[in-house]
Amino acid sequence: MNAIILSAVLGVVMMFSSVFVKNKSALKHIAAAGLLVLLIANIADTYGCSLFKIDLHNMLRFDKFGLFFNTIGIGATLIYVVLSGRDIEKSGNYVAEYFALIFFVLCGLTLLTSFGNLLMLFIGIEILSIPLYILTGSDKRNLKSNEAAIKYFLMGSFSTGIMLMGIALIYGGTGSFQLEVVRSVFASYKGVSFLEIAGLLFLLVAMAFKVSAAPFHFWTPDVYDGAPSVFTSFMATVVKAAAFVAFIRLFDARVTETSAAVDWKMLFSILIISTLLIGNITAVFQQSVKRMLAYSSIAQAGFMLFALFSLNDMAKEGLLLYAAAYSLATIGIFAILIKMKDVSFEGYNGLAKTQPLLAATNTIFLLSLAGIPLTAGFFAKYYMLASVIKTGSYTWLVIFAVLFAAVSAYYYFRVIQAMYFKNGEAQTDTITPGFKAGMVIVAAIIVIVGILPQTILNWFYF
Amino acid sequence: MNNLVYLIPFFPLLGFLINGLFRKSLNKPLIGIIGSGSILASFVVSLLLFFQVKSNGALPVQPLFSFIDVESFKIAFAFQVDQLSSLFLLIITGIGFLIHLYSTSYMHDEPAEHFGRYFAYLNLFVFSMLLLVLGANYVIMFIGWEGVGLCSYLLIGFWFKNNNYNYAAKKAFVMNRIGDLGFLLAVFWILAKLGTVEYYEVFAQTAKLSNADIFGITILLFIGATGKSAQIPLYTWLPDAMAGPTPVSALIHAATMVTAGIYMIARSNILYTMAPVTQVIIAVIGLATAVFAATIALKQNDIKKVLAYSTVSQLGYMFLGLGVGAYTGAVFHVMTHAFFKALLFLGAGSVIHAMGGEQDIRKMGGLAKKMPQTNWTFLVACFAIAGVPPLSGFFSKDEILAAAFEKNSLLYYIGVAGALMTAFYMFRLYAMTFLGQFRGTHEQEHHLHESPAAMTIPLIVLAILAAVGGLIGIPEAILPNAHKLEAFLEPVFEQSTRYVHEAHTVSHSTELMLMGVVTVIIIGVIVAAWRKFSKYQYSDAEETGLGKVLENKWYVDEIYDAVIVNPLLKLAGFLKNVVEKSGIDGIVNGVGRFVGYSARQLRLLQSGQVGNYILFMVLSLVVLFLVFWNETIISEFLKKIF
């Protein structure tokens, strides 16, 4: 509860700060401080110290899993603002509003990690998405940015329509928006209701759109590529992970196991296969690192979908780990990408000579995304695949995923190859020592999690 | 006191690290002091432990840390100091120290960096060798076993700018690896059957092993030993290993590493005692190696090659001893051989040093006057190896031959024939080097000098040991209860002794008579060789007939090349040029091309048109519905409508 209210309040505060604070560069410090407050409030909430006591009538339900995810999401945003705050400033004239929108996105995120009612899910998704439409178009004079914003908005609206349709069908079948009621109806049903199955299928498609699972991913490359890089970073990490948490909350085990008429595992495996296939294969041919990362985010979504496939405790743990590992690494890669003058693969040629530290940390991030041992990404992938193996069937799916993880090594290593083995003079903006220190810390977290994943997870579950 | 054990390998390891890491910044005297000092420190600790073992018996096993700990499979990194290992500790650190001292002078012309590298390798070698004998289980022994193999490789190829030396190093490594495979398989076999590799536990549970198990394990271990200890068929690397600096030959390829196989079998003596077939095989191979290598040594002209074949031959005697159950005799011969063969190599090094790198004995001669200390110490060693009483070689060789006589007199006669050849080629070597006229160039003659004290002191110490070292093992036939070594080592071989419980069948008088006859013949051979070769005149006339075959080492290398090496190279070439290029590369690149092609095609889906995207999404949605449109849903649907 703390995080929902505080993030909304802080968003409003940020908006007004543009009036009172004339010094633009102070804004990012205010935002960072606000995020820190938010982070602490949310951790306090996790330990049972809630500032607000409101009867919610089960519209929202707070559980450990959601609150932990809030911590990860807010923490990742904090790191993101610290690393890329300067670049957010540079992306347009309305700096305070950008930060305010980020806080509103976080508000949507906290709703999505705690909804207990389908309407709350819908509101959360909208609160999450609308600020992103604006952020995507924040570079007003750039045609690509505008195009991306309008495409995102159009397709986002379309998926919202599908989602509302799904919610309406489920309401028609069960007579309630409450998740608990819907579940109990599903659990008690002897036969299968067409309305509920169809509703759930619509909801699935809408959520698949949000997490950019193929074949509902088409918006992703265009939007990620067109949006200012600094906001792409945010969209591809925190926002995507939030959508995944909402997805897994919705498709809790009881819904899918009881509706026997539809083989949900088969359905998810189709989604996973097409996502891994399209994400990984298309990424191979990209010439721009930014666009490659867009496809890579689709490919990574394919892996995160495994959590929905297996829906056991290990999957939930793994999703937390995956969200953290993927977000950190991607934020780091984007932070460097934003500093690059040229974001094509050639632009990275020889970075190891001009900026050895950035190249080294970038290598760690890329290795983590590729799932190389001793990085957080390895254990994230390990947990996902192990959760599938625990379900006892569909081993072929795991083999398929591992093969595509191997394909992904190709395009991640292309960047490493460019940085270390190609001749060139990679041009970057000025790099401050503070930025370097930040990169080293993020890289260190990734390596530490990669060496001691159990310690981190145990710490999460105290 | 017990907890000092770990210090023994610790000092050389420290020396290795210091010399290895700081070889570019340290100066030569300091490197020499660190290198030799670390071994001296180990020697002092070994001496203390030796006396403790002598008075109190074996020390309890000292676990340092848990090396492998996976569920029920546990291997401790533990050290075991008993009579056998404490004796080897003294040989390794004692002779090791003398050779380090000698090296400070011998290697003095090397630049500081390489000087440091040399001592780092040498210390690492001693460290590995100490691990090998200290380990309380086969796995630790294997770590040391591989470590000495690595150091041997590094030191043979020490002058790596000469490609022939690199080739020799590679050959030694590969030959050893063949043997190592046998060792490893034996360890796996033990582990599979008994679930442990600790010596104490393995030897206590031998009853659980079937005869086939014991035969397999002992033969595989012996294959490991034939690699490391240069026995037929894996001996060919040792003569080539002479490419390394001469002190290395003395330490690694004469005194210590090559005896690792004997140590291993002596350590596992109970297994061998229980496998009589293996014992026969070992005895036959050992004897064959002894005689075969001796014949080759007769015609070699490189001073180090003669010594190398002599080493192979002497190692063969040790295996003969192991094969006939004379474990004490074999270990005894390891010790005396370490004295006199290290001395011979160091003496040869002194000669090579004086001759400015010349190793061909046909171009030497008359060095006795110029190098008095080298001369007399070398002579002592020659008498010792030839087996002239009362020098050390006499006692140890006699013990082995006596045991062979008990088993089968044929083994004895062939063994004696080998011993006669030993006397002949050693005095041929001595006479051609030190007696007669100098046959080298004037420049070399002018340059001739006695070596400095750092080189002669080790020679003198070793000469004394080679002379009197045999007195700790005087046979019963000469003096009752004077075999101190046997009494000392008794606990190690106790299990085997109990297993065999055989009485001596040869009477003391027969033994004494054989000794006397052999000694007389050996002295006769020595006199003949002395007279013949002190008048040697240089000629480069080609040898003919048998002489040519012997000079070319029975063409064994050529046969190996033709039968094994070249077919393997052809196969490798086929795999590389055909299977790899068109097979494996084709598949791998094909996959790559396929992915690239798919990427180009899939990319086209991303048209940039929102209308297309939404159409695709709707189509996908419809497909999803169709996929799950099964009968139940249809019937439900129909019910709702009607």
Side-chain angles (χ1 to χ4, degrees):
Chain A
M1 198 68 216
N2 291 354
I4 296 178
I5 293 176
L6 273 179
S7 57
V9 170
L10 283 166
V12 175
V13 169
M14 280 312 296
M15 267 162 71
F16 281 102
S17 68
S18 68
V19 181
F20 299 112
V21 181
K22 285 297 157 210
N23 182 3
K24 269 192 185 179
S25 60
L27 287 167
K28 63 171 181 289
H29 299 301
I30 299 175
L35 283 167
L36 199 61
V37 170
L38 198 56
L39 187 66
I40 292 166
N42 185 65
I43 292 173
D45 207 354
T46 324
Y47 286 82
C49 172
S50 187
L51 298 170
F52 309 95
K53 300 255 183 282
I54 302 167
D55 185 8
L56 296 162
H57 302 287
N58 273 339
M59 295 288 266
L60 295 173
R61 289 180 57 253
F62 298 98
D63 52 21
K64 283 254 163 78
F65 177 70
L67 289 171
F68 279 132
F69 183 78
N70 285 353
T71 309
I72 292 177
I74 297 168
T77 312
L78 179 61
I79 291 173
Y80 159 72
V81 167
V82 169
L83 283 179
S84 302
R86 235 171 237 278
D87 304 288
I88 298 175
E89 270 169 29
K90 284 187 213 151
S91 55
N93 292 325
Y94 308 98
V95 182
E97 281 76 0
Y98 301 150
F99 285 117
L101 289 170
I102 288 172
F103 276 103
F104 290 138
V105 170
L106 286 182
C107 181
L109 177 148
T110 48
L111 272 175
L112 287 177
T113 58
S114 58
F115 70 90
N117 185 299
L118 291 176
L119 286 181
M120 282 293 148
L121 167 69
F122 174 71
I123 291 173
I125 288 282
E126 287 308 295
I127 295 182
L128 188 79
S129 302
I130 291 171
L132 292 178
Y133 302 148
I134 304 168
L135 288 176
T136 306
S138 60
D139 192 357
K140 283 206 301 190
R141 278 173 207 82
N142 185 337
L143 213 58
K144 261 183 103 181
S145 174
N146 285 325
E147 182 194 339
I150 205 80
K151 271 185 186 170
Y152 195 11
F153 178 64
L154 281 174
M155 283 189 274
S157 310
F158 185 72
S159 85
T160 304
I162 293 176
M163 172 176 266
L164 271 180
M165 179 73 174
I167 292 175
L169 285 176
I170 289 177
Y171 185 77
T174 63
S176 174
F177 291 125
Q178 283 299 78
L179 217 50
E180 279 306 307
V181 180
V182 174
R183 272 182 198 148
S184 62
V185 170
F186 266 91
S188 63
Y189 244 61
K190 293 277 184 279
V192 185
S193 157
F194 172 76
L195 284 182
E196 285 126 41
I197 302 286
L200 216 49
L201 215 54
F202 274 127
L203 269 179
L204 175 100
V205 168
M207 293 310 294
F209 175 88
K210 287 293 170 198
V211 301
S212 60
F216 309 102
H217 68 283
F218 291 103
W219 61 279
T220 316
D222 291 6
V223 172
Y224 282 10
D225 198 23
S229 301
V230 64
F231 296 123
T232 308
S233 169
F234 189 57
M235 277 191 276
T237 55
V238 178
V239 175
K240 172 172 282 196
F244 259 106
V245 175
F247 209 166
I248 204 169
R249 271 182 86 81
L250 184 64
F251 278 76
D252 204 301
R254 275 171 296 176
V255 180
T256 47
E257 273 172 14
T258 48
S259 43
V262 175
D263 188 351
W264 292 100
K265 282 214 166 12
M266 193 66 205
L267 204 153
F268 275 114
S269 56
I270 289 176
L271 279 185
I272 289 171
I273 289 172
S274 48
T275 308
L276 285 174
L277 189 85
I278 290 181
N280 283 307
I281 299 289
T282 320
V284 166
F285 202 69
Q286 300 306 317
Q287 302 307 319
S288 146
V289 175
K290 192 176 173 188
R291 210 167 163 85
M292 179 277 279
L293 283 170
Y295 281 103
S296 129
S297 91
I298 297 174
Q300 300 284 348
F303 259 96
M304 285 195 259
L305 278 174
F306 277 118
L308 283 140
F309 177 86
S310 35
L311 281 174
N312 46 27
D313 281 348
M314 191 165 196
K316 285 186 167 184
E317 263 177 49
L319 187 64
L320 282 181
L321 192 61
Y322 209 112
Y326 164 72
S327 298
L328 280 181
T330 309
I331 286 173
I333 294 172
F334 267 105
I336 291 169
L337 181 118
I338 296 160
K339 303 283 184 196
M340 301 299 294
K341 291 264 196 258
D342 175 4
V343 296
S344 68
F345 279 94
E346 279 79 35
Y348 278 78
N349 285 355
L351 186 69
K353 289 198 190 74
T354 52
Q355 293 287 351
L357 189 94
L358 290 194
T361 49
N362 207 18
T363 305
I364 292 175
F365 302 144
L366 289 162
L367 292 179
S368 181
L369 285 188
I372 306 294
L374 296 187
T375 61
F378 169 75
F379 274 103
K381 281 197 168 60
Y382 167 79
Y383 267 79
M384 285 300 165
L385 298 179
S387 77
V388 178
I389 288 173
K390 264 198 168 174
T391 64
S393 52
Y394 286 91
T395 315
W396 58 269
L397 197 59
V398 174
I399 295 169
F400 183 83
V402 171
L403 287 179
F404 275 97
V407 172
S408 79
Y410 173 80
Y411 50 82
Y412 293 131
F413 277 58
R414 259 181 85 189
V415 181
I416 299 175
Q417 183 201 29
M419 291 192 301
Y420 282 91
F421 302 111
K422 294 259 174 88
N423 291 322
E425 290 289 317
Q427 299 290 314
T428 56
D429 296 339
T430 42
I431 308 290
T432 61
F435 180 76
K436 283 184 183 169
M439 297 311 278
V440 170
I441 291 170
V442 176
I445 295 174
I446 286 175
V447 173
I448 290 169
V449 175
I451 295 170
L452 305 164
Q454 205 56 51
T455 322
I456 304 295
L457 284 172
N458 287 345
W459 175 69
F460 266 135
Y461 285 84
F462 30 87
Chain B
M1 189 64 216
N2 288 352
N3 44 24
L4 285 183
V5 176
Y6 70 90
L7 283 178
I8 300 176
F10 173 75
F11 288 124
L13 181 64
L14 198 65
F16 158 67
L17 290 175
I18 295 174
N19 278 339
L21 293 175
F22 305 110
R23 62 182 187 282
K24 289 188 182 167
S25 43
L26 295 174
N27 60 14
K28 282 198 227 175
L30 202 56
I31 291 171
I33 289 169
I34 293 168
S36 318
S38 60
I39 309 297
L40 183 63
S42 290
F43 177 65
V44 171
V45 181
S46 304
L47 210 57
L48 290 173
L49 284 176
F50 175 78
F51 284 115
Q52 208 191 358
V53 170
K54 195 162 179 280
S55 51
N56 301 338
L59 304 179
V61 170
Q62 293 273 307
L64 281 191
F65 54 87
S66 175
F67 180 52
I68 294 176
D69 188 349
V70 184
E71 306 218 331
S72 66
F73 175 59
K74 289 187 173 58
I75 293 172
F77 202 96
F79 289 158
Q80 175 177 356
V81 178
D82 62 358
Q83 289 82 359
L84 186 62
S85 47
S86 66
L87 188 70
F88 269 83
L89 287 181
L90 285 186
I91 297 173
I92 295 161
T93 53
I95 294 181
F97 167 67
L98 292 175
I99 291 171
H100 275 69
L101 180 65
Y102 179 95
S103 298
T104 56
S105 174
Y106 187 85
M107 299 299 283
H108 207 262
D109 295 338
E110 293 289 317
E113 189 186 334
H114 291 293
F115 194 71
R117 185 165 64 89
Y118 174 82
F119 275 95
Y121 287 165
L122 219 53
N123 278 2
L124 182 64
F125 168 77
V126 173
F127 167 73
S128 309
M129 192 69 207
L130 290 170
L131 272 192
L132 194 158
V133 297
L134 274 173
N137 58 51
Y138 284 104
V139 172
I140 307 299
M141 187 200 265
F142 187 72
I143 296 172
W145 190 271
E146 290 298 301
V148 292
L150 169 70
C151 295
S152 162
Y153 166 78
L154 291 172
L155 284 164
I156 294 169
F158 181 74
W159 288 305
F160 52 79
K161 285 183 182 154
N162 183 329
N163 230 346
N164 286 336
Y165 293 0
N166 288 335
Y167 182 75
K170 238 186 313 187
K171 184 172 176 184
F173 199 72
V174 171
M175 288 295 222
N176 270 295
R177 293 300 301 172
I178 297 170
D180 294 346
L181 181 65
F183 189 155
L184 261 188
L185 290 175
V187 174
F188 293 153
W189 199 324
I190 293 172
L191 204 57
K193 289 290 166 184
L194 298 178
T196 177
V197 288
E198 303 291 323
Y199 298 142
Y200 276 130
E201 293 172 19
V202 171
F203 302 150
Q205 300 180 64
T206 45
K208 284 190 193 167
L209 297 169
S210 70
N211 281 342
D213 288 337
I214 292 189
F215 177 72
I217 291 168
T218 50
I219 277 291
L220 286 170
L221 282 178
F222 176 61
I223 289 173
T226 56
K228 194 73 56 199
S229 297
Q231 296 297 294
I232 291 173
L234 297 178
Y235 73 93
T236 55
W237 65 271
L238 185 58
D240 288 12
M242 296 302 124
T246 309
V248 168
S249 311
L251 178 62
I252 301 185
H253 305 121
T256 53
M257 182 185 89
V258 289
T259 61
I262 289 110
Y263 172 79
M264 183 233 278
I265 291 178
R267 176 57 80 198
S268 324
N269 61 77
I270 178 61
L271 297 176
Y272 283 89
T273 310
M274 290 167 77
V277 181
T278 315
Q279 278 199 310
V280 171
I281 294 173
I282 293 179
V284 169
I285 288 192
L287 187 60
T289 310
V291 176
F292 187 73
T295 59
I296 298 175
L298 293 175
K299 281 287 175 191
Q300 297 304 307
N301 292 321
D302 181 323
I303 185 166
K304 287 183 74 181
K305 283 276 159 73
V306 177
L307 294 177
Y309 280 104
S310 158
T311 304
V312 175
S313 166
Q314 296 301 313
L315 290 167
Y317 279 111
M318 296 174 207
F319 278 97
L320 172 65
L322 295 171
V324 297
Y327 299 114
T328 310
V331 174
F332 189 20
H333 201 54
V334 167
M335 192 186 86
T336 58
H337 177 256
F339 296 151
F340 57 67
K341 189 50 68 61
L343 174 54
L344 287 169
F345 268 113
L346 294 187
S350 182
V351 168
I352 294 166
H353 195 66
M355 293 287 295
E358 180 60 63
Q359 300 194 4
D360 190 339
I361 51 174
R362 287 173 299 186
K363 295 175 186 161
M364 296 181 185
L367 298 184
K369 284 159 276 174
K370 297 285 172 72
M371 308 177 71
Q373 265 133 5
T374 308
N375 173 44
W376 75 258
T377 51
F378 202 89
L379 187 59
V380 168
C382 286
F383 276 118
I385 192 175
V388 175
L391 300 174
S392 59
F394 166 74
F395 294 104
S396 54
K397 199 181 283 182
D398 176 71
E399 187 170 340
I400 291 171
L401 289 175
F405 187 76
E406 270 177 42
K407 279 271 171 196
N408 187 333
S409 55
L410 186 62
L411 292 176
Y412 173 81
Y413 292 123
I414 300 174
V416 168
L420 297 179
M421 281 190 261
T422 308
F424 185 81
Y425 66 70
M426 282 317 299
F427 279 89
R428 168 179 176 266
L429 176 68
Y430 175 77
M432 283 177 75
T433 309
F434 289 98
L435 304 177
Q437 290 298 311
F438 185 73
R439 298 179 292 273
T441 60
H442 283 292
E443 202 180 325
Q444 282 173 329
E445 190 167 11
H446 181 69
H447 179 72
L448 280 179
H449 61 278
E450 180 57 283
S451 299
M455 284 167 74
T456 50
I457 290 171
L459 291 179
I460 294 166
V461 175
L462 284 170
I464 294 167
L465 288 170
V468 303
L471 297 178
I472 60 167
I474 301 172
E476 199 114 327
I478 297 178
L479 198 64
N481 295 326
H483 204 315
K484 295 225 176 59
L485 189 69
E486 189 166 4
F488 176 69
L489 287 174
E490 204 209 326
V492 179
F493 304 123
E494 193 195 357
Q495 217 180 342
S496 296
T497 324
R498 261 189 289 128
Y499 190 86
V500 182
H501 49 84
E502 251 175 40
H504 281 274
T505 49
V506 183
S507 71
H508 286 173
S509 54
T510 320
E511 204 179 327
L512 275 176
M513 190 196 76
L514 288 172
M515 257 183 231
V517 172
V518 171
T519 306
V520 170
I521 302 176
I522 282 178
I523 290 172
V525 169
I526 290 173
V527 172
W530 188 297
R531 291 179 60 151
K532 179 164 185 225
F533 289 104
S534 55
K535 286 182 278 207
Y536 177 81
Q537 289 298 322
Y538 181 78
S539 75
D540 49 7
E542 285 238 346
E543 293 274 352
T544 49
L546 187 62
K548 192 177 176 194
V549 175
L550 292 182
E551 195 176 358
N552 286 302
K553 309 148 195 169
W554 294 95
Y555 297 103
V556 171
D557 276 327
E558 286 75 6
I559 294 169
Y560 280 5
D561 276 351
V563 176
I564 299 169
V565 178
N566 288 337
L568 270 179
L569 287 178
K570 285 220 179 77
L571 180 67
F574 171 75
L575 290 176
K576 175 181 165 239
N577 295 325
V578 181
V579 177
E580 166 85 21
K581 271 215 180 107
S582 40
I584 295 173
D585 277 2
I587 294 169
V588 171
N589 293 337
V591 169
R593 269 197 297 276
F594 174 71
V595 170
Y597 172 79
S598 317
R600 279 194 297 281
Q601 301 307 313
L602 272 180
R603 197 172 59 103
L604 301 178
L605 274 181
Q606 201 71 30
S607 60
Q609 305 292 322
V610 178
N612 284 353
Y613 293 168
I614 291 180
L615 180 67
F616 273 126
M617 282 166 63
V618 173
L619 283 178
S620 310
L621 183 62
V622 171
V623 169
L624 280 186
F625 263 97
L626 287 176
V627 167
F628 299 102
W629 191 279
N630 63 23
E631 284 174 23
T632 341
I633 295 180
I634 295 173
S635 61
E636 278 293 317
F637 187 60
L638 294 177
K639 256 187 250 164
K640 288 257 150 86
I641 291 175
F642 300 106

